[in-house]
Amino acid sequence: MKKLNNIGLDVTSSQQTAEELNDLLSNYQVFYMNLRGFHWNIRGKRFFELHLKFEELYNDALIKVDEIAERVLTLSATPLHTFTKYLEVSEIKGTEDITDGETAISSILEALTVLLKKERAILSIAGDANDEGTVALMSDYIVQQEKLVWMLSAYQN
């Protein structure tokens, strides 16, 4: 008989999902800091619109960081919570001194590709585990980020 956690999900499956969520959390934390840097350091003719857009994006990323960490806790695991660990785990790398809008947007699009890949993998793992809470969270993120990729790509052209 399978051992169940506090929300009635298989402990082993939940642990696997939590590990993947911690990986995603690490990537989001680095992405968040990159967005803050873009917001602070952007220069040029599109300063006002990009400064506001980057603020919107980092506020959204901050919400997602909290939601992911709380989902890890809901699955009876511990969220990663040190920048040392985030940098060790994250596939997204930190950016520095980016002042150009085109470069910043390209970096955001690259990061979104990484995040979407990870979210789709978690969606599959959570679906196999009948973990509807994680499935719903990932599904919401994917829909939102696919639209953002389209919009940022259209903005670049």
Side-chain angles (χ1 to χ4, degrees), residues 15-143:
Q15 193 60 37
Q16 180 187 9
T17 302
E19 287 172 18
E20 296 299 322
L21 285 168
N22 266 324
D23 178 81
L24 183 64
L25 176 64
S26 297
N27 280 274
Y28 260 103
Q29 285 284 30
V30 175
F31 182 53
Y32 168 78
M33 289 309 301
N34 288 347
L35 291 167
R36 292 299 303 235
F38 300 152
H39 170 76
W40 292 328
N41 295 306
I42 192 69
R43 292 187 174 77
K45 293 179 185 176
R46 297 186 291 175
F47 168 82
F48 289 104
E49 64 191 278
L50 290 176
H51 185 74
L52 289 173
K53 186 62 174 179
F54 297 153
E55 182 175 10
E56 173 191 319
L57 293 174
Y58 77 65
N59 283 330
D60 179 69
L62 185 59
I63 290 167
K64 285 180 171 63
V65 162
D66 193 53
E67 289 173 340
I68 295 165
E70 288 178 353
R71 188 65 195 167
V72 170
L73 289 162
T74 301
L75 294 173
S76 302
T78 303
L80 298 178
H81 53 275
T82 67
F83 276 97
T84 302
K85 227 15 173 170
Y86 297 148
L87 293 172
E88 189 179 298
V89 172
S90 180
E91 185 177 333
I92 297 171
K93 298 303 173 202
T95 59
E96 196 171 346
D97 299 327
I98 293 177
T99 60
D100 173 66
E102 292 298 318
T103 304
I105 291 171
S106 291
S107 177
I108 292 167
L109 286 167
E110 289 172 19
L112 288 169
T113 298
V114 171
L115 295 172
L116 282 163
K117 180 181 91 176
K118 291 178 180 302
E119 290 159 357
R120 287 186 180 109
I122 293 168
L123 181 75
S124 178
I125 292 165
D128 291 345
N130 295 315
D131 177 356
E132 185 59 34
T134 303
V135 166
L137 193 63
M138 293 302 103
S139 181
D140 289 348
Y141 290 4
I142 290 166
V143 169

